Amino acid sequence: MVKQEQELDNRPDNTAFTQQRLPAWQPMLSAGIIIPGFVLIGLAFIGIGVALFVTSRSIQVLEIDYTGVAQDSPCFKCSDPNAKNCMCTMEFSIDSLFQGPVFFYYGLTNYFQNYRRYGVSKDANQLSGDLEYFTNPSDDCAPYVYDNNKPIVPCGSVANSMFNDTFKLFQIVNGARKQVPLDGKGIAWWTDYNVKYRNPNVTPLRNAFNGTVKPVFWSRPAYELDPTDPANNGFINQDFLVWMRRAALPNFRKLYRRITEGDFAEGLPAGNYSLEIAYNYPVLSFDGEKKVVFSNVSWMGGKNEFLGIAYLVIGSLCVVMSIVMLIVYAKFKFPEED
Amino acid sequence: VDCQSESFRYPQLYSPGQQNLYFNKKVFVRCMMHSWYSSLILFFIPWAAMHDTVRDDGKDIADYQSFALLAQTCLLVVVSVQLCLDTYYWTAVNQFFMWGSLAAYFAVSFTMYSNGMFLIFTSAFPFVGVARNSLNQPNVWLTIFLASLLCLLPVVAFRFILIQLRPTINDKLRHKVQMEALPAPAPRRPPPRRISTRRSGYAFSHAQGYGNLVTSPPGWSPGQTFTLKLSQYSNWWCFLADECRCHCESVHMNIYRI
């Protein structure tokens, strides 16, 4: 009897939770839900696909390759590795109004910013303005940590390889060149400009860089990146921020400027244009290419036909599948016996 | 309590486990093909959607961190919905954990990528701002939607067609019980009327086990075997649960009388 009482004590509680009697919903893959579901999803996808495709088609893109590989290219003379401070001019024309606001990107190909050793080669503490790391940069930045025993600020491969070609755009009107104003404010993410990258809290800014040197590949130190705008210097320089946000894929574009002001607020009117390039960035050693891209944007971003086409294809496949399933269900419905 | 449920009315529910229907080489290869297909979708759909595109204000979206977040979110959504498809028995606990884990993923992502965490642990949280800047873009959500449905719809279609063409015992039983339940629409399904079909997924009765030792009480000679192998195991299960003793002994006697 005692043994039975002990067994009764150890018995688990007789509640719904412990005896697994909780009320439950038991869904089943029944024809009444699946087949109409597939039809609905298919139709919705086709609708979204049409919207995406039409929007993508309406976005205008103009790409101009200026690497200078071909002998007859205007920038061929600059592709010589010994040429320093070379300038070249590319001429192009636009047939119809290029709707504004127009975004001006530079593009690189075969450039692996997603390479891991390259990507970790920076010091986040230095870039958020911590002066301790100015004198003692992190070892992640190797081999760009010290130059002649002086610490490099900003250290690392990512900062060192910053893109340094500059562009000026002119519209040819009656034989005269009219400069197109390029706006470089706010081209980087708000969080990069305000949170992730901060200048050290020293005025004037150049005093914070005492005892340090600029990166090996740069022509100007960080506190002089933009002589025209004092707020666009140091680590919060917009071009620097855009470069530091490393690209995921080997062929990428980065925003350079926006064309939104003056006579070009509506966009780039049809006509002839000339692009003056200060060709500094060497890409031929790794078979890379440089190009300039003009584009406008829409609610879905830049021109990308893949999403529209994918949605259309998948939507049609869903509708076809639902018909197939309907046929299977009608012909092969399993009999009702156990 | 288990012995009061349907599993005794339908002992054939134990047969898929004994026949290794749910885990054999063919099923394993099928599982591998499914994962291979899903991995291709989960990388190449974001890759194609992010190729040369930008945010709706012209700024960067094809950067390394946004791409990583996109692929990761697609993966989480696919895995959660696949789990939903595999869960046949939704109690409150299931609901809480299923939706809770999706919500927790977004909560943790936004927390990890917030300004506060970056300011405290600067080099540990370099993804600051990524969730805010990429998850407010319609084309990112459309990509997530596309990748998830592309991974899951084939599974649903395949399962549906398989149920119609080659239904297993579980499918037939579930269908039968649902048909029986339909004519009398009660406002709430009474709990005791549940099928322990998920139990039969636990194919643990397929090994020879100790059935012989447990089920041959004194008086029965070891040579006496049953025509219905399944009943042997039903009784074994039963003998382990004290409460079932009276129920099971009566069933035991019935089966032995074949």
Side-chain angles (χ1 to χ4, degrees):
Chain A
M1 279 313 285
V2 175
K3 188 171 166 208
Q4 193 164 33
E5 267 177 30
Q6 276 179 345
E7 283 167 14
L8 287 176
D9 278 340
N10 290 334
R11 190 191 293 190
D13 303 329
N14 194 11
T15 65
F17 181 72
T18 54
Q19 294 301 330
Q20 301 190 25
R21 274 197 314 255
L22 286 172
W25 170 52
Q26 294 176 58
M28 249 192 74
L29 282 182
S30 63
I33 298 177
I34 299 290
I35 296 177
F38 264 69
V39 172
L40 275 174
I41 290 178
L43 292 176
F45 267 38
I46 290 177
I48 297 175
V50 165
L52 282 169
F53 190 69
V54 165
T55 310
S56 177
R57 272 290 152 115
S58 72
I59 296 176
Q60 297 161 290
V61 171
L62 176 62
E63 263 186 34
I64 303 164
D65 185 317
Y66 71 93
T67 321
V69 175
Q71 296 236 343
D72 57 349
S73 160
C75 289
F76 177 68
K77 61 181 197 300
C78 294
S79 59
D80 182 6
N82 296 325
K84 297 265 180 264
N85 297 327
C86 183
M87 303 275 284
C88 62
T89 308
M90 300 284 291
E91 312 271 338
F92 62 95
S93 66
I94 299 180
D95 300 326
S96 56
L97 173 70
F98 204 104
Q99 295 272 11
V102 180
F103 291 86
F104 185 139
Y105 299 89
Y106 61 86
L108 289 165
T109 63
N110 208 28
Y111 197 108
F112 289 84
Q113 269 201 323
N114 52 13
Y115 187 67
R116 187 170 189 269
R117 289 301 304 277
Y118 172 90
V120 302
S121 176
K122 63 181 188 192
D123 187 346
N125 287 303
Q126 211 183 61
L127 294 167
S128 63
D130 194 340
L131 282 168
E132 256 182 61
Y133 290 84
F134 272 42
T135 47
N136 212 1
S138 153
D139 283 331
D140 285 334
C141 289
Y144 298 103
V145 191
Y146 292 98
D147 181 25
N148 290 336
N149 292 329
K150 287 188 143 190
I152 299 178
V153 174
C155 72
S157 306
V158 191
N160 186 53
S161 58
M162 183 167 138
F163 189 75
N164 52 8
D165 283 359
T166 52
F167 308 95
K168 284 202 186 82
L169 183 62
F170 299 94
Q171 185 189 11
I172 315 278
V173 177
N174 298 331
R177 295 204 316 177
K178 176 178 163 195
Q179 181 153 26
V180 178
L182 299 175
D183 176 24
K185 286 201 186 33
I187 51 175
W189 285 8
W190 186 92
T191 47
D192 280 355
Y193 184 74
N194 289 69
V195 179
K196 193 168 177 188
Y197 296 85
R198 303 261 77 210
N199 278 333
N201 226 345
V202 174
T203 40
L205 185 58
R206 62 178 352 171
N207 289 349
F209 290 78
N210 284 338
T212 69
V213 287
K214 63 173 177 57
V216 175
F217 190 63
W218 286 19
S219 57
R220 285 190 297 223
Y223 52 85
E224 273 175 5
L225 279 173
D226 189 351
T228 59
D229 184 357
N232 198 22
N233 280 312
F235 302 138
I236 54 175
N237 173 277
Q238 295 282 340
D239 290 314
F240 179 69
L241 292 176
V242 166
W243 182 255
M244 291 301 281
R245 182 142 287 284
R246 4 176 232 135
L249 304 172
N251 305 335
F252 58 85
R253 296 175 185 170
K254 288 190 180 290
L255 184 56
Y256 180 70
R257 295 287 185 265
R258 265 191 245 109
I259 301 170
T260 49
E261 294 163 346
D263 293 337
F264 302 94
E266 295 297 310
L268 289 175
N272 293 324
Y273 290 83
S274 126
L275 180 68
E276 204 178 276
I277 304 164
Y279 192 116
N280 299 318
Y281 204 71
V283 295
L284 289 166
S285 55
F286 53 85
D287 286 332
E289 285 166 14
K290 295 194 283 187
K291 53 187 177 221
V292 154
V293 181
F294 294 93
S295 169
N296 41 27
V297 295
S298 65
W299 62 271
M300 62 168 272
K303 190 182 188 84
N304 187 310
E305 303 201 333
F306 168 75
L307 267 186
I309 295 176
Y311 265 85
L312 281 172
V313 167
I314 304 299
S316 336
L317 276 178
C318 277
V319 172
V320 165
M321 269 314 290
S322 69
I323 296 175
V324 166
M325 289 197 293
L326 189 63
I327 296 173
V328 166
Y329 177 67
K331 290 194 73 175
F332 295 103
K333 188 157 46 167
F334 60 80
E336 300 287 333
E337 96 261 1
D338 198 352
Chain B
V1 171
D2 182 47
C3 300
Q4 287 166 9
S5 65
E6 311 295 314
S7 53
F8 267 107
R9 282 217 279 151
Y10 305 103
Q12 304 94 311
L13 283 174
Y14 291 99
S15 63
Q18 294 177 346
Q19 291 161 8
N20 261 344
L21 264 188
Y22 291 131
F23 196 72
N24 51 38
K25 286 192 208 89
K26 200 164 114 185
V27 167
F28 186 73
V29 167
R30 200 200 299 168
C31 186
M32 271 182 52
M33 303 293 291
H34 178 223
S35 352
W36 177 78
Y37 166 75
S38 299
S39 338
L40 288 178
I41 296 286
L42 286 171
F43 179 76
F44 284 108
I45 299 286
W47 172 83
M50 288 292 112
H51 189 67
D52 272 349
T53 195
V54 291
R55 284 171 45 124
D56 57 9
D57 57 5
K59 299 186 194 172
D60 212 354
I61 201 170
D63 64 292
Y64 190 77
Q65 296 177 339
S66 306
F67 185 82
L69 180 66
L70 173 61
Q72 191 179 343
T73 309
C74 290
L75 170 70
L76 254 295
V77 169
V78 167
V79 166
S80 303
V81 180
Q82 180 74 39
L83 266 175
C84 290
L85 281 179
D86 280 332
T87 306
Y88 292 115
Y89 199 76
W90 285 82
T91 61
V93 178
N94 287 72
Q95 303 267 11
F96 173 71
F97 277 101
M98 196 62 68
W99 312 121
S101 69
L102 260 183
Y105 166 71
F106 285 106
V108 168
S109 290
F110 275 90
T111 307
M112 275 174 55
Y113 304 164
S114 65
N115 296 353
M117 293 305 280
F118 175 75
L119 292 172
I120 302 172
F121 302 107
T122 304
S123 43
F125 292 103
F127 276 51
V128 60
V130 176
R132 279 171 277 174
N133 281 306
S134 63
L135 288 182
N136 63 358
Q137 297 297 304
N139 61 344
V140 166
W141 284 105
L142 285 174
T143 312
I144 294 173
F145 194 45
L146 176 70
S148 328
L149 280 177
L150 205 51
C151 281
L152 295 162
L153 288 180
V155 173
V156 171
F158 182 70
R159 283 191 191 178
F160 177 77
I161 292 183
L162 216 58
I163 288 179
Q164 304 300 320
L165 293 177
R166 268 196 285 244
T168 61
I169 308 273
N170 297 338
D171 302 321
K172 288 188 206 164
L173 190 58
R174 242 184 264 136
H175 179 86
K176 178 172 180 224
V177 171
Q178 206 167 54
M179 291 294 115
E180 280 173 13
L182 274 173
R188 206 199 300 172
R189 276 183 78 122
R193 186 148 177 73
R194 72 179 178 93
I195 325 163
S196 62
T197 50
R198 62 191 180 89
R199 292 300 179 84
S200 60
Y202 289 25
F204 291 140
S205 65
H206 64 276
Q208 263 295 76
Y210 307 106
N212 277 327
L213 287 173
V214 176
T215 56
S216 47
W220 290 88
S221 59
Q224 264 170 331
T225 53
F226 319 101
T227 49
L228 207 70
K229 191 177 168 189
L230 291 157
S231 57
Q232 191 171 342
Y233 298 103
S234 332
N235 293 323
W236 172 62
W237 180 267
C238 196
F239 273 174
L240 292 178
D242 239 352
E243 287 152 50
C244 294
R245 193 176 273 279
C246 48
H247 260 281
C248 296
E249 276 178 353
S250 59
V251 172
H252 175 114
M253 300 307 290
N254 284 329
I255 295 175
Y256 274 63
R257 270 192 213 118
I258 296 169

